[in-house]
Amino acid sequence: MTKEITYLEAIREALQEEMRRDPKVFVLGEDVGPYGGAFGVTQGFVEEFGERRCLDTPISESAIIGISVGASLRGYRPVAEMQFGDFISCAFDQIVNQAATLRYRYGGRASVPIVVRAPCGGRVSGGLYHSQNTEAWFIHRPGLKVVAPSTPYDAKGLLKAAIRDDNPVIYMEHKYLYRRARGPVPQDDEEIVEIGVAATRREGDDITLLTYAAMVQPALEAADELAKEGVEVDVIDLRSLLPFDKAAIFRSVEKTGRVLIAHEDVKTLGIGAELSAVIVEERFDWLDAPVVRLTYPDTHCPFAPALENFNLPDAGKIAAALRRLAAY
Amino acid sequence: MPSIKRTKFRLTNDQLLEILYWLKLIRAFDERLSVLVRQGKVRSGVYTGLGQEAIVVGTCYGLRREDYICPLHRDLGTFLMKGVEPGVMMAQMFAKATGLSKGRDSALHSGVPELGIFGNTSMLGSNLPVAAGIGLTFRMEQVDHVVIAYFGEGASNTGDFHEALNFAGVQRLPIVFICENNLYAYSVPFEKSMAIEDVAVRAQSYGFDGVAINGNDVLAVYQATQGAIRRARTGEGPTLLECKTYRWHGHSEHDKAFYRTDEELAMWRSRDPIPTFTTYLQHMNVLEPARLEEIDARINTTIDEAVTFAENSPEPEPTDAITDLYA
């Protein structure tokens, strides 16, 4: 029987396997050392790899990324942990100006193979600074790649791909999924999930539903509801946000003519805006209805469950949006 | 503040003349750039280090190829001393295809990994965490290479400065932090941006020595750097050297620098590191007049050839605006 593990364990396995495979891979961040990370991802790493390859840093997010860039210039493949994805703002300059531009300004003579792990997302009563989804900040920056897995399989396969990638990759890992998502993972060392390739989670001919990360599960539940009503939804898990899989999206749009985009990030200039624009620009003639977005409202991430639930898209809200779109 | 740890060094006459050559070459390069800006041949991004050459030469002289430098925006001379051809640097300033960044940026925002050169962004001080990362790999590999990381006194007020020096102190990284204190952060004078006399004291907060030295005395800079490098190579960790100096031109070539007095500039020009060192060499009978002419002629030829190379170099391919984004 195939082994099933959690999303968090899948991240840990990917790190361990890559660190065993390649001595140039090391992890650094706040509390990643003997403590094993705020969420326990690096538990046991100091025992296996030593403190030099599992390096506790001061609370210095900008330096964590700068150090990673410096090490990458000498052939290392650092995996930097932002304890919470929200804290990535403290490292913003090192990511967008230092890491993202380096290859370009070096005339192609160098690359920056770093991974920035960013535990993100809500439904965990994390409040304003432990719940954010910051992917759109980085999708807007050429030179970076951004991935956001929804399953243990992708969590492991995408992290391995990110570590082996020669470019800076922002790896958005969703905290809600850490211990709730469980499933099989790649077993073969060479089994990775290619960056830039979406996965169709459910096939349908009536509506295309584009989503990712913690929105995939509620999207599938909503699609099941709609199936009972005779509407078949094509659920596409983007997995990679920069680059995103245009070909897979267009194949689905050409089939359905109706598109719902669901994401946990806020609406204005979230990735949904870009997806919608690309679809309208390049597949307008296939559309039978306006492209619709269901997102977090343009607000902050509140602490009280009543407030947070009001903001978060869920299966019920997605189903309602699908019904409206089907009836258009 | 700790006193300067005296480090014995011996330089042969040829080495002393080589130091003079570098001082004068870097001066001539910047002076030519200044002219080229006025002629409209170099459009922007020129931040000369005129007056600060002793810091570049005193810190770079004698570095190994494997040692890494992380210069600031005025340190074009460090690129030359670390092995980039003058023509390539000139082409970089001309934004030509043969420049380090293929015309994408004219300033010192490029680098050459195989020569141990990291070129920073315009975000001053953001090179220092990168320097820490490079130093960390030297320590991981247990090799005795060093990193020379440069910043202005202005950049010592950034978060990256403090994050990097703190980390370097904790990890005892082999880094020599060189502060080029030229008294002005663009237009803002030193006393308006910090409430201390010397940037060097900041090192104490991070558990290593910081000393202030005369940044216009190339041998003083060389001596202090050699001491710091020796400590770094033997595992004794980082050192901060604050080199007191002055920039003769404005922040960039477009800055008329009205914020300072003629008297102040004249006083600092009288401390020009090059005549001081030249006189010293003459006094020590190291430099004969014929030798000085020979050095000057060699420099003129080098700069002329660099300009010719840059002028004759092709413009970048327009489509290179969108290449080299990803490996």
Side-chain angles (χ1 to χ4, degrees), chain A:
Chain A
M1 205 180 102
T2 318
K3 184 181 72 165
E4 294 208 340
I5 60 174
T6 65
Y7 185 94
L8 185 144
E9 290 164 339
I11 294 169
R12 184 189 296 141
E13 266 195 16
L15 285 171
Q16 285 169 326
E17 288 177 15
E18 291 305 294
M19 287 173 80
R20 287 173 195 145
R21 186 184 62 82
D22 182 354
K24 295 291 190 185
V25 178
F26 72 98
V27 301
L28 72 164
E30 295 152 12
D31 307 291
V32 300
Y35 187 71
F39 296 98
V41 168
T42 54
Q43 268 171 20
F45 278 39
V46 167
E47 289 77 2
E48 180 173 355
F49 303 107
E51 293 203 32
R52 287 204 171 172
R53 292 185 68 201
C54 186
L55 184 65
D56 264 336
T57 67
I59 301 176
S60 302
E61 284 84 6
S62 186
I64 291 169
I65 304 303
I67 289 161
S68 301
V69 172
S72 77
L73 286 171
R74 293 207 66 256
Y76 288 79
R77 293 182 176 273
V79 182
E81 177 177 312
M82 298 284 103
Q83 189 158 81
F84 282 85
D86 312 62
F87 304 167
I88 206 166
S89 55
C90 300
F92 196 66
D93 176 61
Q94 288 289 348
I95 295 172
V96 303
N97 282 318
Q98 194 71 271
T101 64
L102 194 139
R103 182 174 180 78
Y104 187 73
R105 63 189 152 96
Y106 269 54
R109 282 187 312 280
S111 56
V112 183
I114 69 171
V115 178
V116 183
R117 287 183 41 231
C120 62
R123 211 181 290 282
V124 291
S125 277
L128 270 73
Y129 310 110
H130 289 66
S131 305
Q132 295 175 51
N133 294 284
T134 60
E135 56 267 34
W137 301 349
F138 303 105
I139 294 162
H140 197 66
R141 191 58 163 172
L144 301 177
K145 294 186 179 184
V146 181
V147 299
S150 73
T151 65
Y153 190 94
D154 288 352
K156 184 174 177 185
L158 273 174
L159 184 51
K160 294 184 96 160
I163 291 169
R164 296 178 195 190
D165 198 284
D166 284 334
N167 302 286
V169 181
I170 312 295
Y171 180 89
M172 314 285 303
E173 51 193 62
H174 203 292
K175 300 188 298 290
Y176 182 79
L177 301 174
Y178 269 157
R179 293 179 175 82
R180 292 180 181 89
R182 176 178 282 278
V185 293
Q187 294 302 312
D188 185 332
D189 195 44
E190 292 310 308
E191 206 175 340
I192 61 161
V193 174
E194 197 184 330
I195 295 175
V197 180
T200 302
R201 300 298 183 196
R202 183 189 201 288
E203 299 223 26
D205 291 336
D206 300 322
I207 299 177
T208 296
L209 174 46
L210 304 176
T211 190
Y212 57 95
M215 285 295 112
V216 173
Q217 190 52 39
L220 289 170
E221 290 166 21
D224 285 345
E225 279 300 305
L226 269 286
K228 292 176 195 160
E229 300 163 24
V231 177
E232 293 298 336
V233 182
D234 213 36
V235 179
I236 295 182
D237 178 356
L238 294 170
R239 305 198 285 194
S240 288
L241 307 180
L242 179 66
F244 57 80
D245 190 346
K246 242 167 128 172
I249 293 167
F250 289 167
R251 274 196 304 276
S252 179
V253 173
E254 288 165 13
K255 184 170 67 172
T256 64
R258 289 165 206 267
V259 184
L260 175 68
I261 301 161
H263 62 61
E264 197 182 309
D265 190 11
V266 298
K267 189 167 202 170
T268 301
L269 288 181
I271 191 172
E274 180 63 24
L275 296 170
S276 171
V278 165
I279 292 165
V280 170
E281 260 177 356
E282 300 187 38
R283 288 298 181 273
F284 185 77
D285 289 345
W286 278 264
L287 291 175
D288 297 322
V291 175
V292 176
R293 289 176 288 164
L294 178 70
T295 70
Y296 213 79
D298 286 342
T299 182
H300 303 298
C301 306
F303 178 48
L307 301 177
E308 191 179 21
N309 290 339
F310 176 82
N311 287 343
L312 280 166
D314 57 23
K317 292 175 191 170
I318 296 171
L322 288 168
R323 275 184 205 106
R324 282 195 299 273
L325 192 52
Y328 183 87

Side-chain angles (χ1 to χ4, degrees), chain B residues 102-176:
Chain B
K102 297 185 187 168
R104 291 173 183 140
D105 209 330
S106 66
L108 306 183
H109 298 161
S110 198
V112 189
E114 59 274 21
L115 294 176
I117 301 171
F118 168 75
N120 194 32
T121 67
S122 284
M123 275 40 77
L124 304 181
S126 72
N127 58 331
L128 302 175
V130 178
I134 294 164
L136 181 69
T137 64
F138 288 155
R139 221 211 41 201
M140 284 168 132
E141 292 163 16
Q142 298 182 300
V143 292
D144 66 347
H145 308 319
V146 299
V147 185
I148 314 286
Y150 302 79
F151 58 96
E153 85 287 350
S156 80
N157 298 317
T158 64
D160 270 353
F161 167 86
H162 295 278
E163 291 191 9
L165 270 72
N166 181 54
F167 183 80
V170 170
Q171 297 288 337
R172 302 207 68 70
L173 298 180
I175 306 178
V176 184

